[in-house]
Amino acid sequence: MDIGPRLKLVRESYKLSQRELAKRAGVTNATISLIEQNRVSPSVSSLKKLLEGIPMSLADFFTFDEPPRENGYVFRPGEQPDLGQQGLRLLLIGATVQDRQMRMLRELYAPGAGTGDEPITHPEGEECGLVVRGTIELTIDGKINVLHAGDGYYFPSTLPHRFRNIGQDEAEIISANTPANF
């Protein structure tokens, strides 16, 4: 999915100028312009920060123009929007569910891919997951942990954290967090 044109569509539908969105998100006008032209691809954490200026969740951003679903309980692979980029696929299950109370992801990391150099933090909540395959480096509050298939994690989402595949093969995590802040 092209992030740039989608950001422009969302920004314009909210009647925001590039300047106003940049001011709200704490970035330069040039940054917004480069993203909208697909000349720069923001990390997940950077995009989340940018969308807070609208305000909008990542799930709402990636499902912005989708029609309502007929069957609201089952989500086939084609109905799981990919919130990731740059070798990271974050497949959101239940993106179209109104007033979701949790976020459930199938995360696929190419070798070397991660959530970005900038640690992610959320204002509240908890996060947990299970490594299905591969080797993941999980940094929580500055402490580095190496996780392998079968290892799980559970931590307060208020702590700065980041994920990175340090293995030679694709890594997969099934994760959930509450509240649904994505």
Side-chain angles (χ1 to χ4, degrees):
M1 175 179 294
D2 285 334
I3 301 284
R6 180 166 291 272
L7 179 61
K8 184 175 182 179
L9 171 72
V10 168
R11 177 182 58 76
E12 288 176 346
S13 66
Y14 276 77
K15 308 219 182 318
L16 294 172
S17 66
Q18 286 183 348
R19 184 177 311 279
E20 179 61 24
L21 179 55
K23 180 180 171 186
R24 289 181 180 192
V27 299
T28 65
N29 300 2
T31 299
I32 302 292
S33 178
L34 290 171
I35 292 170
E36 288 185 355
Q37 295 172 44
N38 274 342
R39 293 175 58 198
V40 170
S41 183
S43 68
V44 173
S45 58
S46 296
L47 180 59
K48 185 177 182 307
K49 179 182 172 189
L50 188 65
L51 293 175
E52 287 170 357
I54 291 179
M56 175 179 271
S57 71
L58 281 169
D60 290 342
F61 177 76
F62 285 100
T63 59
F64 183 71
D65 53 357
E66 287 189 15
R69 298 183 65 244
E70 204 171 293
N71 177 351
Y73 302 112
V74 175
F75 299 89
R76 307 286 180 206
E79 300 169 330
Q80 300 169 19
D82 185 355
L83 312 182
Q85 56 200 341
Q86 301 170 343
L88 170 59
R89 296 184 65 212
L90 298 172
L91 304 173
L92 180 61
I93 299 164
T96 56
V97 173
Q98 293 293 322
D99 303 317
R100 282 182 302 117
Q101 298 300 303
M102 77 173 137
R103 182 213 54 180
M104 182 88 180
L105 289 174
R106 178 177 178 217
E107 306 177 31
L108 301 166
Y109 295 79
T115 54
D117 295 333
E118 212 177 295
I120 301 167
T121 57
H122 304 288
E124 62 180 334
E126 299 175 317
E127 187 165 334
C128 68
L130 177 76
V131 177
V132 176
R133 60 188 162 97
T135 306
I136 292 287
E137 178 186 86
L138 169 58
T139 305
I140 303 171
D141 203 21
K143 185 177 185 302
I144 297 172
N145 305 274
V146 176
L147 305 177
H148 303 280
D151 290 340
Y153 58 88
Y154 192 112
F155 60 89
S157 299
T158 54
L159 296 176
H161 56 282
R162 60 184 288 251
F163 296 82
R164 186 168 61 102
N165 179 357
I166 58 172
Q168 299 298 312
D169 299 314
E170 183 177 67
E172 180 176 2
I173 296 174
I174 302 297
S175 69
N177 80 314
T178 185
N181 54 17
F182 251 48

